[in-house]
Amino acid sequence: MSIVYKCRHCGQAIATLDQQVIDTTMLGLDQLSIKEKEEMIQYKDNGDVDVQTICEDCQEALGYHPHYHELDFFIQ
């Protein structure tokens, strides 16, 4: 089983954790609200988990262009 962190804006893979057993509290996923979990976490048929986050490049772009926060996707 793997947990794959991907940027929700550009789709870039940020990190992958390959573990047989993963404690979600150690990853901080238990701190998310139910809505945040629904939006950010996707469970795959093979047991992998995709977590939508933001990469450094997209975070920097949002910092320079705050109005991008209004958009669902700012990278076309």
Side-chain angles (χ1 to χ4, degrees), residues 58-74:
C58 289
Q59 181 63 42
E60 184 176 344
L62 287 169
Y64 288 123
H65 307 282
H67 62 281
Y68 285 176
H69 284 281
E70 299 170 7
L71 307 171
D72 289 332
F73 300 98
F74 63 88

Side-chain angles (χ1 to χ4, degrees), residues 11-76:
Q12 175 183 342
I14 298 169
T16 302
L17 302 173
D18 292 315
Q19 300 288 327
Q20 291 299 323
V21 177
I22 297 175
D23 183 0
T24 57
T25 58
M26 290 183 67
L27 300 175
L29 299 178
D30 62 320
Q31 300 295 313
L32 299 174
S33 70
I34 293 172
K35 183 177 180 178
E36 290 170 329
K37 288 178 185 178
E38 289 173 355
E39 293 174 356
M40 296 176 63
I41 302 172
Q42 299 171 346
Y43 297 93
K44 303 295 182 177
D45 291 336
N46 65 356
D48 288 355
V49 179
D50 284 354
V51 179
Q52 300 294 313
T53 186
I54 186 168
C55 70
E56 291 179 10
D57 293 333
C58 289
Q59 181 63 42
E60 184 176 344
L62 287 169
Y64 288 123
H65 307 282
H67 62 281
Y68 285 176
H69 284 281
E70 299 170 7
L71 307 171
D72 289 332
F73 300 98
F74 63 88
I75 296 179
Q76 303 294 321

